[in-house]
Amino acid sequence: KQWYQRRVRGRQQNVLSSRHTKFTESFWRFVFYGFTFTYGLVCLWDEDFLWDTKFCWIGYPEKIWAMKDKIYWYYMIEMGYYLACLVIQFFEVKRKDFYQMFIHHIATVFLIGMSFVTARTRIGALVMLVHDFSDISLEACKMAKYAKKIDAANILFGVFGISFFASRIVYYPYSILYSALVETRTITDTESPSLRIINSFLFVLYILHCFWFSLIVRLVAKFAQNEQPEGDLRSEDEAPTSSGEEKLETDKKKE
């Protein structure tokens, strides 16, 4: 009996440790996304291309090479973060969408670097700003879930779903992709190989957006059926054990 009790306590400590680790990971990402979105918004607020994407290409490339210091540092901060994510991802709690996130980080690093060296930093800054926007509420929602604040998590999930749909499913393709595909040809009258590559990776990001939005819709459907979804947002349960807490509860009942 003592062996069995030690086993239950050990499993309970593992579950709590895993939840604490994931809460910590979400907390520092929440702080980072909140900072970068605020900093990016301040940097771009007075820029014409934030309000009209045609200005991303007017004067290209001569005038756009003169990057302002604040936008330069915005780029450096984002590049450093996503380069770190490529490494840190292998040491964090492994999620089911590990490979999707790995592809996302690869595409993001490539887009930031390629847009930087080809003087397409205006459209690149808009892409970074759009992505940081919805990630704030996502990390807040996950922290609430790990802390067992279900009501707060449900509210924040609704905020995240709306912000994700508005920024990545609507604004991203109809404004950013349209600008990169159509406005650049109309205004600059050129289409370089580097632009084709950048546009290809922009499409890769949008495909990932659609994949993640399908997961959001699936969770909403479960809520509508009065079911409590298992696991974390973006299907990010731990890969090895996705039902540790359920096993713990079962063992307690048996005891």
Side-chain angles (χ1 to χ4, degrees):
K1 185 177 180 179
Q2 292 179 350
W3 170 85
Y4 180 77
Q5 290 176 343
R6 287 196 298 270
R7 178 189 173 193
V8 172
R9 285 195 298 268
R11 184 175 295 168
Q12 184 179 23
Q13 291 174 355
N14 290 336
V15 170
L16 293 175
S17 176
S18 174
R19 194 162 66 235
H20 178 269
T21 300
K22 291 192 287 186
F23 181 92
T24 304
E25 293 171 359
S26 291
F27 175 75
W28 80 262
R29 283 196 295 261
F30 170 78
V31 172
F32 175 82
Y33 291 133
F35 167 76
T36 53
F37 176 75
T38 303
Y39 179 76
L41 193 61
V42 171
C43 290
L44 304 181
W45 188 261
D46 295 329
E47 302 295 333
D48 294 334
F49 60 87
L50 176 63
W51 312 104
D52 187 349
T53 54
K54 291 180 181 179
F55 286 96
C56 289
W57 314 107
I58 294 176
Y60 177 85
E62 291 80 8
K63 293 182 180 180
I64 300 180
W65 274 116
M67 184 191 303
K68 296 181 179 180
D69 288 342
K70 57 184 180 180
I71 298 180
Y72 169 83
W73 286 112
Y74 185 36
Y75 253 75
M76 294 300 102
I77 292 171
E78 292 279 1
M79 174 63 85
Y81 171 74
Y82 284 105
L83 282 174
C85 283
L86 283 175
V87 179
I88 294 174
Q89 189 178 16
F90 292 94
F91 299 95
E92 292 183 331
V93 178
K94 191 171 182 179
R95 273 79 173 186
K96 289 182 179 179
D97 66 344
F98 174 87
Y99 295 105
Q100 290 91 339
M101 289 303 298
F102 183 75
I103 294 172
H104 174 271
H105 295 333
I106 289 289
T108 302
V109 168
F110 182 87
L111 283 171
I112 293 175
M114 194 74 169
S115 63
F116 182 81
V117 300
T118 60
R120 296 185 175 93
T121 53
R122 294 183 177 181
I123 197 72
L126 292 180
V127 173
M128 294 187 297
L129 190 68
V130 166
H131 281 74
D132 289 341
F133 173 64
S134 60
D135 284 334
I136 299 173
S137 54
L138 169 64
E139 299 303 334
C141 178
K142 290 193 287 185
M143 285 192 297
K145 182 175 177 62
Y146 300 147
K148 297 296 185 180
K149 305 297 183 181
I150 304 303
D151 291 338
N154 291 340
I155 294 173
L156 289 168
F157 176 74
V159 174
F160 164 67
I162 294 172
S163 63
F164 189 96
F165 177 78
S167 61
R168 300 200 189 189
I169 303 300
V170 177
Y171 178 81
Y172 180 84
Y174 287 100
S175 184
I176 294 177
L177 277 181
Y178 176 81
S179 180
L181 291 172
V182 178
E183 290 180 342
T184 181
R185 297 180 184 178
T186 303
I187 297 172
T188 64
D189 196 28
T190 58
E191 184 180 0
S192 63
S194 62
L195 182 61
R196 295 192 188 99
I197 296 174
I198 288 175
N199 288 343
S200 298
F201 276 89
L202 288 175
F203 269 110
V204 170
L205 288 182
Y206 188 62
I207 291 172
L208 290 173
H209 296 170
C210 294
F211 167 75
W212 284 320
F213 188 69
S214 69
L215 298 181
I216 295 173
V217 173
R218 193 179 307 169
L219 287 176
V220 171
K222 287 187 176 183
F223 279 124
Q225 297 172 1
N226 294 322
E227 296 181 13
Q228 181 63 34
E230 296 178 4
D232 302 332
L233 295 172
R234 283 189 9 249
S235 186
E236 62 167 13
D237 283 346
E238 295 177 40
T241 58
S242 61
S243 57
E245 294 185 27
E246 292 180 359
K247 292 179 180 178
L248 177 62
E249 292 298 325
T250 302
D251 287 342
K252 286 183 177 180
K253 290 179 181 179
K254 290 180 179 179
E255 185 181 10

